[in-house]
């Protein structure tokens, strides 16, 4: 993922360096994007001309690297999940506040244009208010993931997106799933979430499906909304009965109104990094703040705990 960050930042900003513990990787990426390679993180962060860093490393390293960067006075965007523990996330948020620095979290789907488009539709005439919603994020096993299970790799995206769409926080979680081919972490899970405004949601994730699906279905008071992350499209469907013959339920006459909107394609990662840079330049919060990252980290932890203990978990606030 770091290579993708470097590609985008070289295009939209001034990429002055890349750092990697592997000298070979650092030099290869630096050569491709015409910048400087580093293996010493301290030397990298001491550069006066360096204003901001993007951290796309294994999850267990996020806290230490982000802390070092913030202590060097650098703005930080860190890939999801923001940290390994709630306490680490709380400390990073506090540190960024104290130093007046931007801390953003790479929950990339929030920057998919179809998410905002769909959110703006919810509650409008002809669509109606959200009653419940469900997401499906499935694909084959990713060789790049070794340190977390499918809940933290895939599920965390929809935990953030669903809370954004409904405008409420998760207060309860119940998970089912397990290990099918992965001996160390769960590779399939079905997560039920309850929000503090009474709306319910369901998140299906797995690494076992031989095709990639990235969709959210939303039942509203006046319609059924289908959002496709990959196609960047939204479909709104509604229907009404015509002249119903109560003696013939085999053929029920209905009039359907189906509208499908396909957006102009945009790369979510480019939107994410552009938002981060704008937040720095304009001194405003990024779209996905450190607090957002901490909230979904808390929900993901509760989902893993629920899966382990086989019970519903009440989600309490974790904000510092």
């Amino acid at each position: 993922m770091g290579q993708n960050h470097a590609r985008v930042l070289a295009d939209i900003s001034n990429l002055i360096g890349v750092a990697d513990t592997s000298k070979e990787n650092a030099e290869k990426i630096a050569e491709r994007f015409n910048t400087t390679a580093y293996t010493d993180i301290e030397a990298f962060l001491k550069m006066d001309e360096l204003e901001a860093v993007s951290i796309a490393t294994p999850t267990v390293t996020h806290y230490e690297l982000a802390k070092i960067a913030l202590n060097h006075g650098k703005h930080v965007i860190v890939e999801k999940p923001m940290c390994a523990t709630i306490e680490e996330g709380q400390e990073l948020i506090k540190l960024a506040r104290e130093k007046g620095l931007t801390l953003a979290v790479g929950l990339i789907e929030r920057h998919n244009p179809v998410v905002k488009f769909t959110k703006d539709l919810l509650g409008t005439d002809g669509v109606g208010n959200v009653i419940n919603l469900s997401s499906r994020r499935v694909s084959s096993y990713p060789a790049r993931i070794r340190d977390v299970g499918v809940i933290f790799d895939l599920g965390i995206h929809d935990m953030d997106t669903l809370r954004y769409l409904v405008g409420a926080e998760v207060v309860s979680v119940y998970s089912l799933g397990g290990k099918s081919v992965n001996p160390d972490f769960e590779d399939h899970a079905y997560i039920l979430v309850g929000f503090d405004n009474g709306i319910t949601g369901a998140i299906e994730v797995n690494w076992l499906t031989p095709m990639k699906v990235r969709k959210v279905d939303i039942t509203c008071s006046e319609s059924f909304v289908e959002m496709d992350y990959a196609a960047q499209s939204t479909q709104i469907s509604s229907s009404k009965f015509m002249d119903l013959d109560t003696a013939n339920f085999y053929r029920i006459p209905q009039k359907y109104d189906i509208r499908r909107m396909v957006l102009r394609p945009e790369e979510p990662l480019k939107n994410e990094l552009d938002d981060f840079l704008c937040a720095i330049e304009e001194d405003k919060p990024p779209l996905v703040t450190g607090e957002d990252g901490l909230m979904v980290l808390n929900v993901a932890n509760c989902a893993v705990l629920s899966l382990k203990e086989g019970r519903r978990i009440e989600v309490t606030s974790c904000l510092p």
Side-chain angles (χ1 to χ4, degrees), residues 170-197:
V170 177
V171 293
S172 67
V173 178
Y174 181 67
S175 304
L176 294 170
K179 305 170 185 176
S180 179
V181 297
N182 187 325
D184 300 317
F185 298 100
E186 82 284 346
D187 50 26
H188 62 100
Y190 197 84
I191 308 159
L192 300 177
V193 295
F195 294 92
D196 61 14
N197 61 359

PDB file of all heavy atoms in Angstrom, residues 170-197:
ATOM      1  N   VAL A 170     -21.882   3.093  17.024  1.00  0.00           N
ATOM      2  CA  VAL A 170     -22.207   1.704  17.349  1.00  0.00           C
ATOM      3  C   VAL A 170     -22.223   1.531  18.864  1.00  0.00           C
ATOM      4  O   VAL A 170     -21.297   1.964  19.561  1.00  0.00           O
ATOM      5  CB  VAL A 170     -21.181   0.750  16.721  1.00  0.00           C
ATOM      6  CG1 VAL A 170     -21.468  -0.688  17.126  1.00  0.00           C
ATOM      7  CG2 VAL A 170     -21.179   0.881  15.198  1.00  0.00           C
ATOM      8  N   VAL A 171     -23.287   0.906  19.369  1.00  0.00           N
ATOM      9  CA  VAL A 171     -23.394   0.670  20.816  1.00  0.00           C
ATOM     10  C   VAL A 171     -23.375  -0.815  21.179  1.00  0.00           C
ATOM     11  O   VAL A 171     -23.208  -1.168  22.343  1.00  0.00           O
ATOM     12  CB  VAL A 171     -24.668   1.330  21.396  1.00  0.00           C
ATOM     13  CG1 VAL A 171     -24.563   2.846  21.315  1.00  0.00           C
ATOM     14  CG2 VAL A 171     -25.919   0.826  20.693  1.00  0.00           C
ATOM     15  N   SER A 172     -23.548  -1.699  20.181  1.00  0.00           N
ATOM     16  CA  SER A 172     -23.476  -3.130  20.466  1.00  0.00           C
ATOM     17  C   SER A 172     -22.996  -3.890  19.236  1.00  0.00           C
ATOM     18  O   SER A 172     -23.225  -3.462  18.100  1.00  0.00           O
ATOM     19  CB  SER A 172     -24.841  -3.679  20.906  1.00  0.00           C
ATOM     20  OG  SER A 172     -25.772  -3.629  19.844  1.00  0.00           O
ATOM     21  N   VAL A 173     -22.319  -5.010  19.492  1.00  0.00           N
ATOM     22  CA  VAL A 173     -21.749  -5.828  18.413  1.00  0.00           C
ATOM     23  C   VAL A 173     -21.941  -7.303  18.754  1.00  0.00           C
ATOM     24  O   VAL A 173     -21.749  -7.719  19.898  1.00  0.00           O
ATOM     25  CB  VAL A 173     -20.238  -5.548  18.234  1.00  0.00           C
ATOM     26  CG1 VAL A 173     -19.652  -6.447  17.151  1.00  0.00           C
ATOM     27  CG2 VAL A 173     -19.973  -4.100  17.907  1.00  0.00           C
ATOM     28  N   TYR A 174     -22.325  -8.079  17.737  1.00  0.00           N
ATOM     29  CA  TYR A 174     -22.375  -9.539  17.900  1.00  0.00           C
ATOM     30  C   TYR A 174     -21.812 -10.175  16.633  1.00  0.00           C
ATOM     31  O   TYR A 174     -22.254  -9.858  15.527  1.00  0.00           O
ATOM     32  CB  TYR A 174     -23.800 -10.033  18.139  1.00  0.00           C
ATOM     33  CG  TYR A 174     -23.873 -11.537  18.336  1.00  0.00           C
ATOM     34  CD1 TYR A 174     -23.310 -12.125  19.468  1.00  0.00           C
ATOM     35  CD2 TYR A 174     -24.477 -12.352  17.387  1.00  0.00           C
ATOM     36  CE1 TYR A 174     -23.357 -13.492  19.653  1.00  0.00           C
ATOM     37  CE2 TYR A 174     -24.526 -13.731  17.568  1.00  0.00           C
ATOM     38  CZ  TYR A 174     -23.958 -14.295  18.696  1.00  0.00           C
ATOM     39  OH  TYR A 174     -23.986 -15.653  18.882  1.00  0.00           O
ATOM     40  N   SER A 175     -20.815 -11.034  16.790  1.00  0.00           N
ATOM     41  CA  SER A 175     -20.120 -11.613  15.641  1.00  0.00           C
ATOM     42  C   SER A 175     -20.210 -13.133  15.613  1.00  0.00           C
ATOM     43  O   SER A 175     -20.177 -13.788  16.656  1.00  0.00           O
ATOM     44  CB  SER A 175     -18.630 -11.233  15.666  1.00  0.00           C
ATOM     45  OG  SER A 175     -18.445  -9.847  15.720  1.00  0.00           O
ATOM     46  N   LEU A 176     -20.302 -13.655  14.394  1.00  0.00           N
ATOM     47  CA  LEU A 176     -20.175 -15.088  14.137  1.00  0.00           C
ATOM     48  C   LEU A 176     -19.137 -15.261  13.045  1.00  0.00           C
ATOM     49  O   LEU A 176     -19.006 -14.415  12.165  1.00  0.00           O
ATOM     50  CB  LEU A 176     -21.507 -15.693  13.698  1.00  0.00           C
ATOM     51  CG  LEU A 176     -22.637 -15.721  14.724  1.00  0.00           C
ATOM     52  CD1 LEU A 176     -23.940 -16.130  14.050  1.00  0.00           C
ATOM     53  CD2 LEU A 176     -22.301 -16.670  15.861  1.00  0.00           C
ATOM     54  N   GLY A 177     -18.408 -16.372  13.077  1.00  0.00           N
ATOM     55  CA  GLY A 177     -17.408 -16.604  12.037  1.00  0.00           C
ATOM     56  C   GLY A 177     -16.364 -17.577  12.526  1.00  0.00           C
ATOM     57  O   GLY A 177     -16.596 -18.345  13.460  1.00  0.00           O
ATOM     58  N   GLY A 178     -15.191 -17.522  11.891  1.00  0.00           N
ATOM     59  CA  GLY A 178     -14.147 -18.438  12.325  1.00  0.00           C
ATOM     60  C   GLY A 178     -12.988 -18.512  11.352  1.00  0.00           C
ATOM     61  O   GLY A 178     -12.806 -17.656  10.488  1.00  0.00           O
ATOM     62  N   LYS A 179     -12.203 -19.585  11.516  1.00  0.00           N
ATOM     63  CA  LYS A 179     -11.008 -19.821  10.707  1.00  0.00           C
ATOM     64  C   LYS A 179     -11.262 -21.013   9.796  1.00  0.00           C
ATOM     65  O   LYS A 179     -11.493 -22.111  10.280  1.00  0.00           O
ATOM     66  CB  LYS A 179      -9.802 -20.099  11.603  1.00  0.00           C
ATOM     67  CG  LYS A 179      -9.521 -19.022  12.635  1.00  0.00           C
ATOM     68  CD  LYS A 179      -8.464 -19.475  13.638  1.00  0.00           C
ATOM     69  CE  LYS A 179      -8.258 -18.451  14.735  1.00  0.00           C
ATOM     70  NZ  LYS A 179      -7.300 -18.916  15.763  1.00  0.00           N
ATOM     71  N   SER A 180     -11.208 -20.777   8.511  1.00  0.00           N
ATOM     72  CA  SER A 180     -11.431 -21.864   7.564  1.00  0.00           C
ATOM     73  C   SER A 180     -10.113 -22.351   6.961  1.00  0.00           C
ATOM     74  O   SER A 180      -9.829 -23.541   6.954  1.00  0.00           O
ATOM     75  CB  SER A 180     -12.378 -21.408   6.446  1.00  0.00           C
ATOM     76  OG  SER A 180     -12.592 -22.437   5.517  1.00  0.00           O
ATOM     77  N   VAL A 181      -9.316 -21.408   6.477  1.00  0.00           N
ATOM     78  CA  VAL A 181      -8.024 -21.776   5.896  1.00  0.00           C
ATOM     79  C   VAL A 181      -6.861 -21.072   6.584  1.00  0.00           C
ATOM     80  O   VAL A 181      -5.704 -21.424   6.386  1.00  0.00           O
ATOM     81  CB  VAL A 181      -7.985 -21.474   4.379  1.00  0.00           C
ATOM     82  CG1 VAL A 181      -9.005 -22.304   3.643  1.00  0.00           C
ATOM     83  CG2 VAL A 181      -8.190 -19.995   4.093  1.00  0.00           C
ATOM     84  N   ASN A 182      -7.174 -20.066   7.401  1.00  0.00           N
ATOM     85  CA  ASN A 182      -6.134 -19.321   8.109  1.00  0.00           C
ATOM     86  C   ASN A 182      -6.013 -19.859   9.537  1.00  0.00           C
ATOM     87  O   ASN A 182      -6.962 -19.768  10.309  1.00  0.00           O
ATOM     88  CB  ASN A 182      -6.493 -17.829   8.132  1.00  0.00           C
ATOM     89  CG  ASN A 182      -5.377 -16.970   8.703  1.00  0.00           C
ATOM     90  OD1 ASN A 182      -4.664 -17.372   9.601  1.00  0.00           O
ATOM     91  ND2 ASN A 182      -5.236 -15.765   8.163  1.00  0.00           N
ATOM     92  N   PRO A 183      -4.867 -20.395   9.920  1.00  0.00           N
ATOM     93  CA  PRO A 183      -4.750 -20.992  11.256  1.00  0.00           C
ATOM     94  C   PRO A 183      -4.606 -19.961  12.377  1.00  0.00           C
ATOM     95  O   PRO A 183      -4.796 -20.296  13.549  1.00  0.00           O
ATOM     96  CB  PRO A 183      -3.480 -21.843  11.142  1.00  0.00           C
ATOM     97  CG  PRO A 183      -2.655 -21.138  10.103  1.00  0.00           C
ATOM     98  CD  PRO A 183      -3.642 -20.587   9.112  1.00  0.00           C
ATOM     99  N   ASP A 184      -4.269 -18.733  12.039  1.00  0.00           N
ATOM    100  CA  ASP A 184      -3.949 -17.732  13.059  1.00  0.00           C
ATOM    101  C   ASP A 184      -5.076 -16.727  13.321  1.00  0.00           C
ATOM    102  O   ASP A 184      -5.264 -16.286  14.453  1.00  0.00           O
ATOM    103  CB  ASP A 184      -2.681 -16.969  12.663  1.00  0.00           C
ATOM    104  CG  ASP A 184      -1.480 -17.883  12.524  1.00  0.00           C
ATOM    105  OD1 ASP A 184      -1.307 -18.759  13.391  1.00  0.00           O
ATOM    106  OD2 ASP A 184      -0.730 -17.733  11.542  1.00  0.00           O
ATOM    107  N   PHE A 185      -5.794 -16.321  12.270  1.00  0.00           N
ATOM    108  CA  PHE A 185      -6.813 -15.287  12.407  1.00  0.00           C
ATOM    109  C   PHE A 185      -8.105 -15.725  11.723  1.00  0.00           C
ATOM    110  O   PHE A 185      -8.092 -16.584  10.832  1.00  0.00           O
ATOM    111  CB  PHE A 185      -6.338 -13.976  11.772  1.00  0.00           C
ATOM    112  CG  PHE A 185      -5.103 -13.396  12.401  1.00  0.00           C
ATOM    113  CD1 PHE A 185      -3.862 -13.565  11.804  1.00  0.00           C
ATOM    114  CD2 PHE A 185      -5.183 -12.677  13.583  1.00  0.00           C
ATOM    115  CE1 PHE A 185      -2.720 -13.017  12.372  1.00  0.00           C
ATOM    116  CE2 PHE A 185      -4.051 -12.134  14.163  1.00  0.00           C
ATOM    117  CZ  PHE A 185      -2.817 -12.304  13.559  1.00  0.00           C
ATOM    118  N   GLU A 186      -9.212 -15.092  12.146  1.00  0.00           N
ATOM    119  CA  GLU A 186     -10.494 -15.366  11.488  1.00  0.00           C
ATOM    120  C   GLU A 186     -10.424 -14.934  10.023  1.00  0.00           C
ATOM    121  O   GLU A 186      -9.840 -13.897   9.697  1.00  0.00           O
ATOM    122  CB  GLU A 186     -11.640 -14.641  12.218  1.00  0.00           C
ATOM    123  CG  GLU A 186     -11.840 -13.178  11.874  1.00  0.00           C
ATOM    124  CD  GLU A 186     -10.829 -12.226  12.478  1.00  0.00           C
ATOM    125  OE1 GLU A 186     -10.089 -12.633  13.392  1.00  0.00           O
ATOM    126  OE2 GLU A 186     -10.774 -11.050  12.052  1.00  0.00           O
ATOM    127  N   ASP A 187     -10.985 -15.772   9.127  1.00  0.00           N
ATOM    128  CA  ASP A 187     -11.003 -15.408   7.710  1.00  0.00           C
ATOM    129  C   ASP A 187     -12.423 -15.256   7.174  1.00  0.00           C
ATOM    130  O   ASP A 187     -12.621 -14.996   5.988  1.00  0.00           O
ATOM    131  CB  ASP A 187     -10.208 -16.410   6.859  1.00  0.00           C
ATOM    132  CG  ASP A 187     -10.584 -17.863   7.117  1.00  0.00           C
ATOM    133  OD1 ASP A 187     -11.729 -18.113   7.539  1.00  0.00           O
ATOM    134  OD2 ASP A 187      -9.731 -18.739   6.887  1.00  0.00           O
ATOM    135  N   HIS A 188     -13.412 -15.415   8.049  1.00  0.00           N
ATOM    136  CA  HIS A 188     -14.791 -15.117   7.657  1.00  0.00           C
ATOM    137  C   HIS A 188     -15.563 -14.696   8.894  1.00  0.00           C
ATOM    138  O   HIS A 188     -15.344 -15.226   9.998  1.00  0.00           O
ATOM    139  CB  HIS A 188     -15.466 -16.316   6.969  1.00  0.00           C
ATOM    140  CG  HIS A 188     -15.595 -17.532   7.823  1.00  0.00           C
ATOM    141  ND1 HIS A 188     -16.756 -17.880   8.471  1.00  0.00           N
ATOM    142  CD2 HIS A 188     -14.684 -18.487   8.154  1.00  0.00           C
ATOM    143  CE1 HIS A 188     -16.576 -19.004   9.126  1.00  0.00           C
ATOM    144  NE2 HIS A 188     -15.329 -19.410   8.961  1.00  0.00           N
ATOM    145  N   ALA A 189     -16.447 -13.702   8.726  1.00  0.00           N
ATOM    146  CA  ALA A 189     -17.208 -13.206   9.869  1.00  0.00           C
ATOM    147  C   ALA A 189     -18.477 -12.527   9.388  1.00  0.00           C
ATOM    148  O   ALA A 189     -18.529 -11.964   8.287  1.00  0.00           O
ATOM    149  CB  ALA A 189     -16.372 -12.223  10.685  1.00  0.00           C
ATOM    150  N   TYR A 190     -19.486 -12.620  10.229  1.00  0.00           N
ATOM    151  CA  TYR A 190     -20.746 -11.913  10.018  1.00  0.00           C
ATOM    152  C   TYR A 190     -20.995 -11.118  11.286  1.00  0.00           C
ATOM    153  O   TYR A 190     -21.087 -11.697  12.376  1.00  0.00           O
ATOM    154  CB  TYR A 190     -21.887 -12.895   9.748  1.00  0.00           C
ATOM    155  CG  TYR A 190     -23.101 -12.262   9.126  1.00  0.00           C
ATOM    156  CD1 TYR A 190     -23.182 -12.054   7.754  1.00  0.00           C
ATOM    157  CD2 TYR A 190     -24.172 -11.864   9.918  1.00  0.00           C
ATOM    158  CE1 TYR A 190     -24.300 -11.472   7.176  1.00  0.00           C
ATOM    159  CE2 TYR A 190     -25.292 -11.277   9.344  1.00  0.00           C
ATOM    160  CZ  TYR A 190     -25.352 -11.083   7.972  1.00  0.00           C
ATOM    161  OH  TYR A 190     -26.451 -10.494   7.407  1.00  0.00           O
ATOM    162  N   ILE A 191     -21.069  -9.803  11.168  1.00  0.00           N
ATOM    163  CA  ILE A 191     -21.088  -8.915  12.324  1.00  0.00           C
ATOM    164  C   ILE A 191     -22.387  -8.122  12.357  1.00  0.00           C
ATOM    165  O   ILE A 191     -22.711  -7.401  11.399  1.00  0.00           O
ATOM    166  CB  ILE A 191     -19.885  -7.939  12.272  1.00  0.00           C
ATOM    167  CG1 ILE A 191     -18.580  -8.712  12.081  1.00  0.00           C
ATOM    168  CG2 ILE A 191     -19.841  -7.071  13.522  1.00  0.00           C
ATOM    169  CD1 ILE A 191     -17.444  -7.867  11.532  1.00  0.00           C
ATOM    170  N   LEU A 192     -23.147  -8.251  13.428  1.00  0.00           N
ATOM    171  CA  LEU A 192     -24.365  -7.471  13.636  1.00  0.00           C
ATOM    172  C   LEU A 192     -24.041  -6.293  14.536  1.00  0.00           C
ATOM    173  O   LEU A 192     -23.406  -6.453  15.582  1.00  0.00           O
ATOM    174  CB  LEU A 192     -25.455  -8.327  14.280  1.00  0.00           C
ATOM    175  CG  LEU A 192     -25.894  -9.568  13.491  1.00  0.00           C
ATOM    176  CD1 LEU A 192     -26.925 -10.354  14.291  1.00  0.00           C
ATOM    177  CD2 LEU A 192     -26.469  -9.164  12.137  1.00  0.00           C
ATOM    178  N   VAL A 193     -24.457  -5.104  14.115  1.00  0.00           N
ATOM    179  CA  VAL A 193     -24.156  -3.904  14.895  1.00  0.00           C
ATOM    180  C   VAL A 193     -25.444  -3.141  15.196  1.00  0.00           C
ATOM    181  O   VAL A 193     -26.351  -3.071  14.361  1.00  0.00           O
ATOM    182  CB  VAL A 193     -23.153  -2.981  14.175  1.00  0.00           C
ATOM    183  CG1 VAL A 193     -21.803  -3.657  14.044  1.00  0.00           C
ATOM    184  CG2 VAL A 193     -23.667  -2.569  12.794  1.00  0.00           C
ATOM    185  N   GLY A 194     -25.523  -2.584  16.393  1.00  0.00           N
ATOM    186  CA  GLY A 194     -26.640  -1.736  16.781  1.00  0.00           C
ATOM    187  C   GLY A 194     -26.139  -0.328  17.003  1.00  0.00           C
ATOM    188  O   GLY A 194     -25.098  -0.114  17.636  1.00  0.00           O
ATOM    189  N   PHE A 195     -26.853   0.664  16.447  1.00  0.00           N
ATOM    190  CA  PHE A 195     -26.442   2.059  16.565  1.00  0.00           C
ATOM    191  C   PHE A 195     -27.251   2.763  17.651  1.00  0.00           C
ATOM    192  O   PHE A 195     -28.360   2.338  17.999  1.00  0.00           O
ATOM    193  CB  PHE A 195     -26.618   2.777  15.226  1.00  0.00           C
ATOM    194  CG  PHE A 195     -25.706   2.276  14.140  1.00  0.00           C
ATOM    195  CD1 PHE A 195     -26.114   1.272  13.272  1.00  0.00           C
ATOM    196  CD2 PHE A 195     -24.430   2.799  13.995  1.00  0.00           C
ATOM    197  CE1 PHE A 195     -25.270   0.808  12.275  1.00  0.00           C
ATOM    198  CE2 PHE A 195     -23.580   2.339  13.005  1.00  0.00           C
ATOM    199  CZ  PHE A 195     -23.997   1.340  12.142  1.00  0.00           C
ATOM    200  N   ASP A 196     -26.716   3.873  18.149  1.00  0.00           N
ATOM    201  CA  ASP A 196     -27.380   4.558  19.255  1.00  0.00           C
ATOM    202  C   ASP A 196     -28.667   5.269  18.848  1.00  0.00           C
ATOM    203  O   ASP A 196     -29.393   5.767  19.705  1.00  0.00           O
ATOM    204  CB  ASP A 196     -26.423   5.526  19.958  1.00  0.00           C
ATOM    205  CG  ASP A 196     -25.892   6.630  19.046  1.00  0.00           C
ATOM    206  OD1 ASP A 196     -26.438   6.827  17.947  1.00  0.00           O
ATOM    207  OD2 ASP A 196     -24.917   7.297  19.443  1.00  0.00           O
ATOM    208  N   ASN A 197     -28.972   5.316  17.550  1.00  0.00           N
ATOM    209  CA  ASN A 197     -30.242   5.897  17.103  1.00  0.00           C
ATOM    210  C   ASN A 197     -31.283   4.827  16.771  1.00  0.00           C
ATOM    211  O   ASN A 197     -32.326   5.123  16.194  1.00  0.00           O
ATOM    212  CB  ASN A 197     -30.024   6.814  15.897  1.00  0.00           C
ATOM    213  CG  ASN A 197     -29.439   6.092  14.698  1.00  0.00           C
ATOM    214  OD1 ASN A 197     -29.168   4.891  14.753  1.00  0.00           O
ATOM    215  ND2 ASN A 197     -29.227   6.811  13.608  1.00  0.00           N
TER     216      ASN A 197
END
